[in-house]
Amino acid sequence: GPVNELWSVNFPNSNTGYVAGQAGMIMKTSDAGNTWIEQNSGVNVWLFDIEFTSPSAGIAVGEGGKIVRTTDGGELWKVINPGTSSDLWTAFFTSSDTGFVGGAGGTVLKTTDGGLSWKTKSTGTKQTIYDIHFPSPNTGYAVGDGSLILKTTNGGETWSPLNSGYPNF
């Protein structure tokens, strides 16, 4: 198999899964991980996170603001221009249309059309965001460098810092 480092895994159901990593690597399984088939992502950068909202629709994010998107289970990946060149570390969707990516320099981007277009949301920080999670459509959290914890209660439109109990560096 490939010798590239893998950074992320996502299974939209018990049989179909995807992994992403170094040099634009994306692989897919349709048999619960017994076999994997490499896909052509169309990019040659580190892909740090992969997120699917169904077995056929998903995105991968990575270095230099790269976002690749598929709607056909990875047969074709399209490079999306999100309007940033900041490294993107994380992706999370609250529905098939609404999703978020986060990354370097406090970057948070939001989509409401399944990842076709992205809008920058102000976070008030320059710290790198490594993970975003929404337990509900309106309430979400982002974490990152220097004990950073951000919270939104309005679907990612605005973000406020939370006190982690540790100093920000």
Side-chain angles (χ1 to χ4, degrees):
V3 294
N4 293 4
E5 289 185 32
L6 300 173
W7 276 71
S8 182
V9 62
N10 185 267
F11 272 75
N13 67 33
S14 60
N15 288 317
T16 306
Y18 299 84
V19 295
Q22 181 181 6
M25 171 68 70
I26 296 178
M27 294 190 306
K28 176 182 180 178
T29 182
S30 298
D31 60 8
N34 291 312
T35 59
W36 295 86
I37 298 170
E38 187 172 350
Q39 300 189 313
N40 182 359
S41 70
V43 296
N44 190 25
V45 298
W46 284 84
L47 294 174
F48 298 122
D49 200 9
I50 192 162
E51 173 79 5
F52 273 73
T53 59
S54 73
S56 59
I59 67 167
V61 301
E63 279 183 306
K66 294 292 187 217
I67 297 179
V68 292
R69 178 180 183 265
T70 186
T71 58
D72 62 6
E75 294 298 318
L76 177 66
W77 289 88
K78 182 178 179 184
V79 179
I80 303 295
N81 180 359
T84 185
S85 60
S86 296
D87 290 348
L88 301 174
W89 287 93
T90 183
F92 189 88
F93 276 75
T94 59
S95 71
S96 60
D97 290 325
T98 303
F100 300 86
V101 297
T107 300
V108 169
L109 306 175
K110 181 179 181 178
T111 183
T112 56
D113 59 10
L116 285 172
S117 63
W118 296 87
K119 293 184 180 173
T120 301
K121 298 300 172 182
S122 177
T123 60
T125 185
K126 295 294 182 194
Q127 304 287 71
T128 296
I129 294 171
Y130 290 115
D131 200 15
I132 294 175
H133 184 80
F134 279 73
S136 71
N138 286 322
T139 303
Y141 300 87
V143 296
D145 277 345
S147 305
L148 175 70
I149 303 174
L150 299 174
K151 182 178 182 178
T152 182
T153 57
N154 58 6
E157 294 302 313
T158 60
W159 294 82
S160 300
L162 296 178
N163 185 352
S164 68
Y166 292 91
N168 287 340
F169 298 101

